[in-house]
């Protein structure tokens, strides 16, 4: 867990996901996170959030599946080692509620997505939580499948302290 040179100090990050496979929900996480948070709750339009995870850090509680997911058919870790996300616009929706437009890059595909999120301040600690859905096939992950859902639900929770 580390942060880019500027912005808030990241204390913890939890990036998890769920996808249905053969009708059963499979969940997993990415355990290596790098991020840069510059957040101004008074003027969210001046804020910038960016992060990436190492695809090699994927953990679905099944080592064989984790290896398969790193192959060319899925994430192609050898060629595309990181999943990246970067905000382009952030706006307030009212008390602690925000919405961000982000560029999400998986493999060699970047798409704009909207992510609603909540920011809670507790003393020095600021926690960001949000979740969103993507279609894995929009990013060239896994191809067509009758047994694997196209929809992936992603959950993000990051805690930081302003430097």
């Amino acid at each position: 867990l580390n942060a880019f040179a500027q912005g808030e100090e990241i204390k913890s990050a939890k990036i998890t996901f769920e996808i249905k496979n053969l009708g059963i929900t499979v969940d997993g996480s990415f355990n290596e996170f790098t991020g840069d948070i510059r957040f101004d709750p008074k003027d969210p339009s001046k804020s910038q959030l960016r992060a990436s995870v190492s695809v090699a850090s994927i953990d679905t509680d099944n080592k064989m599946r984790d290896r398969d997911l790193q192959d060319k058919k899925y994430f192609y870790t050898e060629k595309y080692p990181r999943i990246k996300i970067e905000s382009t616009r952030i706006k307030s929706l009212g008390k602690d509620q925000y919405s961000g437009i982000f560029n999400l890059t998986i493999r060699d595909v970047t798409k704009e997505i909207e992510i609603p999120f909540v920011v809670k301040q507790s003393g020095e600690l600021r926690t960001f939580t949000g979740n969103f859905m993507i279609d894995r096939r929009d990013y060239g992950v896994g191809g067509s499948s009758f047994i694997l859902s196209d929809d992936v639900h992603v959950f993000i929770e990051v805690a930081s302290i302003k430097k």
Side-chain angles (χ1 to χ4, degrees):
L1 184 72
N2 57 24
F4 293 107
Q6 301 174 345
E8 300 182 22
E9 180 184 349
I10 296 173
K11 300 307 265 181
S12 67
K14 189 172 159 186
I15 313 302
T16 58
F17 61 89
E18 294 178 346
I19 186 168
K20 286 207 184 290
N21 188 16
L22 285 170
I24 298 167
T25 299
V26 173
D27 56 358
S29 62
F30 291 96
N31 297 318
E32 187 196 307
F33 173 92
T34 302
D36 183 26
I37 296 174
R38 298 172 202 186
F39 186 73
D40 182 352
K42 292 180 181 73
D43 189 357
S45 67
K46 291 183 178 166
S47 299
Q48 172 129 38
L49 308 174
R50 70 179 174 170
S52 72
V53 293
S54 165
V55 178
S57 75
I58 196 167
D59 181 0
T60 63
D61 231 9
N62 180 320
K63 296 289 181 216
M64 194 162 38
R65 178 172 44 222
D66 295 346
R67 275 194 302 277
D68 284 348
L69 289 170
Q70 293 179 51
D71 203 7
K72 285 181 185 180
K73 182 178 179 186
Y74 294 97
F75 288 109
Y76 200 177
T77 307
E78 186 180 311
K79 191 169 181 181
Y80 309 107
R82 300 197 77 78
I83 295 172
K84 301 173 188 165
I85 192 166
E86 185 167 352
S87 66
T88 59
R89 294 186 305 279
I90 296 174
K91 65 181 179 185
S92 174
L93 301 176
K95 183 172 171 32
D96 300 336
Q97 307 280 323
Y98 298 87
S99 179
I101 303 297
F102 293 82
N103 285 327
L104 175 63
T105 303
I106 301 174
R107 293 178 61 118
D108 58 345
V109 178
T110 300
K111 293 203 168 284
E112 193 175 80
I113 62 169
E114 184 170 2
I115 303 174
F117 61 97
V118 175
V119 180
K120 294 284 189 188
Q121 190 82 38
S122 177
E124 288 188 336
L125 196 66
R126 182 180 285 165
T127 305
F128 299 78
T129 55
N131 67 84
F132 59 95
M133 295 281 279
I134 60 168
D135 183 330
R136 64 177 177 79
R137 295 191 331 162
D138 287 348
Y139 297 90
V141 176
S144 185
S145 173
F146 288 112
I147 60 171
L148 185 63
S149 174
D150 295 341
D151 297 325
V152 182
H153 198 170
V154 180
F155 305 87
I156 299 173
E157 182 176 312
V158 178
S160 65
I161 294 177
K162 192 168 177 72
K163 288 183 182 173

